[in-house]
Amino acid sequence: MLMKLILVSLLLFLVQHIIKVVYLLGFHLHYYQHYPGYCEPIKDMGPGSEDFHTFPDGLTFITSGFAIQNESVHKREYMVKHNMLGRMYLFDFNNNKAKVEELSIVGSNGGFNVKLFHPHGISGWLDKSGKKILFVVNHERLGLDYIEKFEFVPGKKQLKHVKRYRDDTMLLINDVQATSDDSFYFTNFGTGHNPEIKLLQSLALLRWTVVVYYDGSNYRIVLDGMAMSNGIAMSNDGRYIYISNHDARELVVAKREANNDLIIKQGYPLYTYIDNIIVDIKTDHLYIGSHPIKYQLARHLGNPEVYRAPSQVLKLEMKDGNVTGTKELFYDDGDLISGSATAIVFNNKLLIGSVIDKTVICSFHVPA
């Protein structure tokens, strides 16, 4: 009798979990398309613009060519067909033309090889001399993750490789947030490159991922129990760290302690799968690229030549580290841009990037 009761309880738990997962995948959802103004794809740029960093002068650095080990056959074929290599692009918000420039990458400090480069998350820092420093997540083709440090050489439109960072805490890095010219936070969105374990993590809603801090000498975990930690950003005053708790469909706001530990201040539900976070340089509000219907995103990433996925951009109004309001600035069913990963508003323009699809620029007529 007891054994039967246990089996029935386990069966009910399993059925309940399956129903919850199906619900979270969004098979029942429908949204209405809307843009903040006229939108068009950026010309002369291949697919993929997973993350941005915009400096106060409007220069925006874009990562392209995101790929990790054990990708699907269809995605690998798509990348070959569209010549998707690891690239870095520059977009200038002060230029009225919707175009980007590919940056050349020079230097090989610490064994960095640009032919093995697959960039993902990015964060910038202005050093004391005014040089633009970039930290870029690299899923190197050989199967290890690194964070690469570059210096922008403006006269030559180059990125000079300066240093690479590697530690055993770098399991499957998603994003990085600089805190100086030699320190940063980063997020792991998995426990390794094994796709079966990563799928189990998502379907079982396991909170296995972490946020790590590097202080210039040592790496340490400063936040754990995350359901796929994704994008990460820092408030303009450096007091708060914002993290995409992807599978929990929420934004985590953490207070940054003097020793760089993180104390969770707020977990704000957004009911969409948020990706990268960009902080408005003037207002401290947040712009977030999101994936509102998860099963469509999963199909798109598995076979991007056949399937499309919707794109969504949110604006979160912030005050003293608290979310005080939310607005949906953009929604597209996947025809204009599929799988939005990041977005920013600057100079009355909305720039939207995607995981492995187009990059879109919109004139921005929605009140800020």
Side-chain angles (χ1 to χ4, degrees):
M1 181 67 182
L2 179 61
M3 183 60 67
K4 185 182 291 186
L5 182 62
I6 292 172
L7 290 173
V8 169
S9 298
L10 288 174
L11 179 61
L12 289 174
F13 174 79
L14 180 61
V15 170
Q16 180 190 40
H17 185 81
I18 291 172
I19 292 171
K20 183 178 180 179
V21 169
V22 170
Y23 175 80
L24 291 174
L25 287 173
F27 287 94
H28 63 294
L29 293 176
H30 178 77
Y31 291 78
Y32 294 96
Q33 188 164 285
H34 67 93
Y35 305 153
Y38 174 72
C39 299
E40 62 177 331
I42 297 284
K43 299 173 183 176
D44 302 321
M45 182 176 179
S49 46
E50 215 283 337
D51 203 3
F52 306 152
H53 182 86
T54 299
F55 285 96
D57 61 2
L59 288 185
T60 299
F61 295 81
I62 303 173
T63 63
S64 183
F66 163 62
I68 59 176
Q69 295 293 303
N70 303 309
E71 298 279 17
S72 72
V73 173
H74 296 300
K75 184 180 175 184
R76 289 200 300 269
E77 291 173 348
Y78 177 86
M79 293 183 71
V80 171
K81 177 180 177 179
H82 294 277
N83 193 29
M84 283 185 67
L85 304 173
R87 294 185 170 97
M88 298 289 298
Y89 291 97
L90 180 66
F91 176 82
D92 187 354
F93 271 103
N94 302 298
N95 191 332
N96 290 325
K97 295 181 179 179
K99 66 176 185 177
V100 298
E101 295 178 89
E102 184 177 348
L103 298 170
S104 61
I105 300 174
V106 298
S108 57
N109 287 283
F112 171 72
N113 184 344
V114 70
K115 293 181 180 179
L116 304 177
F117 186 43
H118 279 299
H120 193 172
I122 184 173
S123 181
W125 189 263
L126 285 172
D127 73 6
K128 293 179 180 178
S129 67
K131 290 180 182 177
K132 291 179 172 69
I133 303 298
L134 295 169
F135 295 90
V136 180
V137 174
N138 177 17
H139 302 292
E140 193 172 71
R141 199 173 299 175
L142 298 177
L144 290 177
D145 285 2
Y146 296 85
I147 291 175
E148 312 291 355
K149 179 180 177 180
F150 299 95
E151 178 188 318
F152 177 52
V153 185
K156 298 180 180 180
K157 296 293 174 66
Q158 284 182 344
L159 289 179
K160 178 183 177 184
H161 188 266
V162 177
K163 184 178 180 179
R164 70 184 340 203
Y165 301 85
R166 170 67 199 163
D167 185 71
D168 289 343
T169 57
M170 296 178 175
L171 303 175
L172 185 59
I173 312 174
N174 189 294
D175 201 7
V176 59
Q177 171 58 55
T179 57
S180 78
D181 60 2
D182 194 38
S183 61
F184 47 78
Y185 293 95
F186 68 85
T187 59
N188 280 314
F189 70 117
T191 55
H193 284 253
N194 186 302
E196 287 80 16
I197 292 178
K198 196 166 184 304
L199 180 62
L200 172 65
Q201 172 193 323
S202 290
L203 293 179
L205 305 178
L206 299 173
R207 292 177 174 264
W208 282 358
T209 63
V210 299
V211 179
V212 178
Y213 186 70
Y214 174 69
D215 62 10
S217 300
N218 300 299
Y219 297 84
R220 72 179 192 279
I221 294 172
V222 291
L223 198 62
D224 60 8
M226 302 288 288
M228 196 185 294
S229 49
N230 198 304
I232 186 168
M234 183 169 67
S235 61
N236 291 317
D237 61 10
R239 295 171 60 199
Y240 303 106
I241 298 295
Y242 309 115
I243 306 144
S244 298
N245 200 7
H246 184 82
D247 279 351
R249 303 191 303 165
E250 69 175 6
L251 175 81
V252 169
V253 179
K255 187 176 183 296
R256 186 179 170 209
E257 300 289 279
N259 65 352
N260 295 295
D261 282 351
L262 298 180
I263 306 298
I264 293 180
K265 185 177 190 293
Q266 185 182 27
Y268 191 87
L270 288 168
Y271 309 106
T272 183
Y273 291 86
I274 63 175
D275 204 318
N276 290 307
I277 307 163
I278 295 181
V279 179
D280 188 286
I281 296 165
K282 295 180 180 178
T283 67
D284 219 39
H285 298 327
L286 308 183
Y287 299 110
I288 298 177
S290 295
H291 309 288
I293 304 178
K294 186 66 177 283
Y295 85 91
Q296 292 185 7
L297 173 68
R299 290 195 312 182
H300 169 63
L301 296 182
N303 192 347
E305 200 70 65
V306 174
Y307 296 109
R308 310 295 291 168
S311 292
Q312 182 184 47
V313 175
L314 303 179
K315 176 185 177 181
L316 273 59
E317 297 172 352
M318 307 297 297
K319 185 175 181 180
D320 298 326
N322 291 306
V323 181
T324 60
T326 61
K327 294 178 181 177
E328 185 182 74
L329 301 182
F330 174 97
Y331 182 86
D332 180 72
D333 58 14
D335 290 332
L336 177 63
I337 176 173
S338 197
S340 55
T342 190
I344 184 173
V345 174
F346 193 99
N347 280 0
N348 296 317
K349 299 172 185 174
L350 169 63
L351 185 67
I352 309 169
S354 67
V355 183
I356 50 172
D357 195 50
K358 296 184 287 290
T359 307
V360 165
I361 185 80
C362 300
S363 55
F364 192 75
H365 302 312
V366 176

